Amino acid sequence: MILSASRRTDIPCYYADWFYNRIKEGFLYVRNPVNRHQVSEIRISPKVVDCIVFWTKNPAPMFPRMDELKGYPFYFQCTLTPYGTDIEPHVLQKKGAIIPAFQTLSARIGPEKVIWRYDPILFNDKYTPAYHINAFAQIAGALRGYTGKCVISFVDRYAKNRKSLDLMRVYDLEEAQLAVFAKKLCDIARENGMEMVSCTEKMDLESYGITHSCCIDKKLIESIIGCQMHVGKDRNQRAECGCMESIDVGVYDTCPNGCVYCYANHKQESVAANSRKYNPSSPLLCGEIEKEDNITVRQVKSVRDGQLRLDMWRNETVGNQAYTGKR
């Protein structure tokens, strides 16, 4: 089983203690986002969790208890963009907080386990292509040596974010302009020792050196855990998405970052109300079990394919040393 923490909310930034407490207890509850009274109990012991994929704009709250992740393979996807509080109202200052946190995380667990996400890319009168190119170069320079991969995507319009994007006067580039822009980013990434890939993009950018990739990355996970996996494509994602099957343990309408492009929040009033329900000791994220709830134990298992290979065993040994400062 691959655990996603989370596409739906920023668990590392806002709910790190809840996640660590769930690791300690060995299980958690997740509500069905379509039918809230259907609750799944998910066992999350190292025997069944093959990898944890963390998604965040700020990994720093995870640092004090990170030793508790021993025995769990994992990697982080850290979103680091050039937007100000007009786009990302509650994200900490990038140069003073987020970049140093990214660097600290990379030094601790290894640059191969920290992916830089420069996404979603949106354009308006302030955030022009030229603005992005200049900002991207600055961030890439700061992250040189701290990651080997940068993921880009261009903003998508959903029912939940369309109004906000319209208010920000977000516009699209013509395909030819977009290709030129993407190539410039790719060249900057390469100059800083990074591979650039795209996420859920219909446009083919391979001729510019940007290959299609995915967030729940089978190849990366296999390199981290040291063996192959029997796992298929996630059928619940868009057709362009190449992610592997995973179980997401987050909750919609609980992310206080408040990003205008976000599809996981419907109303900020709902986010505020749900956040007030946060109890780090509850098996549920931002809530408690109710009398109407029907709890079902979800059958989960490891999808690993047997024995560790020697070269992968060495990778795991190096990864474990990172926790104790022996790198």
Side-chain angles (χ1 to χ4, degrees):
M1 170 181 63
I2 301 169
L3 218 57
S4 171
S6 157
R7 283 186 175 94
R8 301 170 181 171
T9 191
D10 195 333
I11 287 176
C13 182
Y14 295 104
Y15 306 115
D17 283 337
W18 174 82
F19 189 82
Y20 282 127
N21 291 343
R22 294 299 90 220
I23 288 290
K24 185 176 180 180
E25 294 290 334
F27 77 99
L28 51 79
Y29 292 157
V30 178
R31 290 191 183 279
N32 184 327
V34 178
N35 184 345
R36 67 179 312 275
H37 288 302
Q38 289 183 353
V39 178
S40 294
E41 177 180 319
I42 301 171
R43 296 291 169 175
I44 53 172
S45 76
K47 292 182 179 180
V48 295
V49 175
D50 299 303
C51 191
I52 306 170
V53 182
F54 292 107
W55 318 58
T56 187
K57 285 185 168 67
N58 179 17
M62 294 287 289
F63 296 166
R65 299 176 62 181
M66 193 164 278
D67 283 350
E68 296 178 39
L69 293 176
K70 284 182 178 178
Y72 292 87
F74 64 89
Y75 65 95
F76 277 76
Q77 300 190 80
C78 295
T79 299
L80 215 172
T81 61
Y83 305 121
T85 54
D86 55 338
I87 302 291
E88 298 174 342
H90 304 298
V91 177
L92 295 181
Q93 206 271 338
K94 310 302 172 63
K95 290 183 179 179
I98 307 302
I99 289 176
F102 190 111
Q103 294 168 334
T104 298
L105 178 65
S106 174
R108 188 164 185 179
I109 68 174
E112 71 282 357
K113 295 181 182 179
V114 187
I115 311 300
W116 172 28
R117 298 185 65 90
Y118 188 88
D119 81 311
I121 299 171
L122 60 82
F123 304 105
N124 66 8
D125 292 342
K126 178 179 178 180
Y127 300 104
T128 63
Y131 182 101
H132 276 288
I133 290 167
N134 180 61
F136 185 86
Q138 292 184 45
I139 299 173
L143 299 185
R144 181 181 179 89
Y146 291 98
T147 184
K149 181 181 287 188
C150 175
V151 179
I152 64 167
S153 73
F154 299 98
V155 70
D156 289 311
R157 296 176 187 269
Y158 300 93
K160 289 184 178 181
N161 69 7
R162 185 173 290 111
K163 182 178 179 180
S164 297
L165 296 179
D166 288 343
L167 289 172
M168 295 298 298
R169 298 181 180 179
V170 172
Y171 63 83
D172 298 322
L173 294 183
E174 296 292 333
E175 187 168 310
Q177 295 174 310
L178 203 60
V180 171
F181 170 80
K183 185 180 184 306
K184 289 180 179 178
L185 294 191
C186 184
D187 290 342
I188 294 169
R190 285 178 172 174
E191 290 169 4
N192 287 280
M194 303 172 193
E195 173 193 11
M196 176 167 281
V197 299
S198 66
C199 174
T200 60
E201 285 302 317
K202 295 180 181 180
M203 185 177 177
D204 186 357
L205 297 170
E206 288 203 29
S207 61
Y208 302 97
I210 303 172
T211 59
H212 289 294
S213 187
C214 53
C215 307
I216 311 293
D217 188 334
K218 183 172 184 286
K219 183 178 179 181
L220 174 59
I221 294 174
E222 287 178 341
S223 73
I224 292 173
I225 68 176
C227 60
Q228 294 182 330
M229 298 188 301
H230 290 299
V231 61
K233 183 182 182 299
D234 193 334
R235 293 171 292 180
N236 294 318
Q237 303 301 322
R238 289 172 289 171
E240 298 81 17
C241 179
C243 285
M244 299 298 102
E245 292 177 312
S246 64
I247 295 178
D248 199 297
V249 300
V251 179
Y252 291 117
D253 282 317
T254 60
C255 184
N257 283 327
C259 303
V260 300
Y261 50 74
C262 183
Y263 63 86
N265 288 341
H266 184 240
K267 294 180 180 179
Q268 288 307 305
E269 295 81 2
S270 299
V271 174
N274 290 330
S275 296
R276 287 194 292 270
K277 300 176 184 176
Y278 174 52
N279 175 2
S281 299
S282 173
L284 280 167
L285 179 60
C286 294
E288 306 289 345
I289 290 297
E290 303 168 7
K291 63 180 181 180
E292 299 90 350
D293 291 340
N294 179 28
I295 302 174
T296 303
V297 178
R298 182 165 178 172
Q299 298 303 311
V300 295
K301 63 180 181 179
S302 171
V303 293
R304 296 191 186 204
D305 184 18
Q307 193 171 347
L308 288 176
R309 300 202 307 266
L310 178 60
D311 58 332
M312 298 305 187
W313 175 85
R314 289 170 178 160
N315 287 344
E316 283 205 345
T317 302
V318 171
N320 289 335
Q321 289 174 341
Y323 293 107
T324 58
K326 296 180 181 178
R327 286 180 65 85

